[in-house]
Amino acid sequence: MENKFEIIGGAKTTGEIEVNGAKNQALKILAAVVLASSTVKIENFPFIEDTSRMLELLEELGAKVKINKILKMVEVDPQGIVSKKLDDLLVRKLRASILLAGPLLGKFGQVEMNHPGGCVIGKRPIDMFIDGFKKLGAKVKWSEDGFCLQASGGRLSGGKYFFPKITVTGTETMMLAAVLAQGETVLENCAMEPEIPTLAEFLNQCGAKINGAGTSRIVINGVSRISGGNFKVIPDRIEAGTFVMMGLLTGGKLTVKNCIPEHLGAVIPILEKVGAKLEIGSDFIKTFPSKINAVSITTHEYPGFATDLQPPFTLLMTQAKGISVIQETIFEGRLFFTDQLVTMGADIIMCDPYRVVISGPRKLYGKSLTSPDLRAGITMVLAGMVAQGKTTIDNIYQIDRGYENIEERLIKVGVKIKRI
């Protein structure tokens, strides 16, 4: 029988909650380990379902992994990696498994894998990745379940690739693939999220030659090998933004620690526009009881309003005074979770798969909910905090994919939540 969360609403969050290492960065660093010729030590590591699956994939390939959860540290020795085939079952569980295709192809000239899985939001086409690999000289053979990529002559060659759509995972995957490619690779229309320049900085310290990471144009001059090294994962900006909105939703004085406020991009200015009373330091954000007014948003690539923070903001607007329009431009279907908020009493009208109109404030009531994906899932938890009565949430595996020991951390700041 699967675990559920049970939440009793009405409690205010108070005290301090610490932000963990960024899920999206930890996954990319683990992929980068494949390229290294010696051990990589990773600090501030988030032990969540997605990173656990990625570590399992690395071990299946032949890497040696040492874990220290007390110190939040992982050491990975990639020298034993010889397999170029990724485990089918693990790949189907993890969308981020596509990240390993680039490094394996770059280092060994070949990779074989199933179609990557993940949550509903994660089931997106991988055409862009395949097209990019082809630009670096790879040939692809399709099978019923997956594909095999092979570099002509056993090694990728530098090339030029223009991303038809800005993609964070695509940018990082192509960057990783090009590190050991022969010659110069130029990537255009790249994503600019903070995780990208920090990944490039680490690779450069290990011997890579990457310029322009953090801008729309990245140039990589291939090298024959890179060494291992030490890396500290940056704080998770999505977790930070989620906790800030949690403080605003519950009307408590909550300090969100170990975060980098500037990494939230457009989110802080928009929260201030809705009337949020915030104290912002170099590594913390404190929320105070605030009167929230409706403000419309459109999600956008960084530094615009992050799509991963759209679900909790949508919930926040159900408690705001006035009418707001939420427009999702990054992922189709990301607004479908709002039908569950409607069952709780929210006034939300879906215009089309990309837009909803919200009238607020509306009182919410506890219901039985199901987590459809990672970000909608944590939003269900926040909705349960706001709602009157008891809320139960199924399919919480999706929440565990991105939030480590979430109920234990929430209990410490006053949330009435338990895993059953």
Side-chain angles (χ1 to χ4, degrees), residues 299-346:
T299 60
H300 200 275
E301 293 84 1
Y302 189 84
F305 198 100
T307 177
D308 284 351
L309 286 172
Q310 174 265 106
F313 186 83
T314 297
L315 172 63
L316 183 64
M317 288 301 95
T318 69
Q319 304 305 299
K321 185 180 180 181
I323 297 173
S324 58
V325 178
I326 308 295
Q327 185 167 0
E328 173 58 58
T329 65
I330 310 295
F331 294 138
E332 184 176 355
R334 178 150 253 178
L335 285 164
F336 289 165
F337 80 96
T338 56
D339 61 355
Q340 296 195 65
L341 297 183
V342 171
T343 68
M344 300 178 81

Side-chain angles (χ1 to χ4, degrees), residues 189-209:
N189 198 31
C190 299
M192 298 186 287
E193 273 70 2
E195 293 83 3
I196 294 170
T198 46
L199 172 62
E201 186 180 336
F202 167 72
L203 291 168
N204 286 342
Q205 287 172 358
C206 297
K209 294 181 179 178

Side-chain angles (χ1 to χ4, degrees), residues 20 32 127 213 222 231 296 312 377 379:
N20 284 345
D127 306 21
F231 184 82
S296 298
T379 301

Side-chain angles (χ1 to χ4, degrees), residues 25-45:
Q25 175 143 78
L27 290 169
K28 316 305 164 58
I29 291 298
L30 290 177
V33 167
V34 172
L35 298 169
S37 57
S38 56
T39 299
V40 175
K41 184 168 80 173
I42 309 167
E43 298 176 54
N44 197 33
F45 189 86

Side-chain angles (χ1 to χ4, degrees), residues 69-98:
K69 290 191 176 183
I70 295 172
L71 296 177
K72 292 186 176 182
M73 190 173 72
V74 165
E75 287 186 29
V76 185
D77 181 354
Q79 293 179 81
I81 294 178
V82 288
S83 175
K84 295 110 181 162
K85 187 180 188 309
L86 292 169
D87 181 84
D88 290 348
L89 184 61
L90 289 170
V91 165
R92 284 196 293 268
K93 285 184 177 180
L94 183 66
R95 164 70 187 174
S97 57
I98 188 67

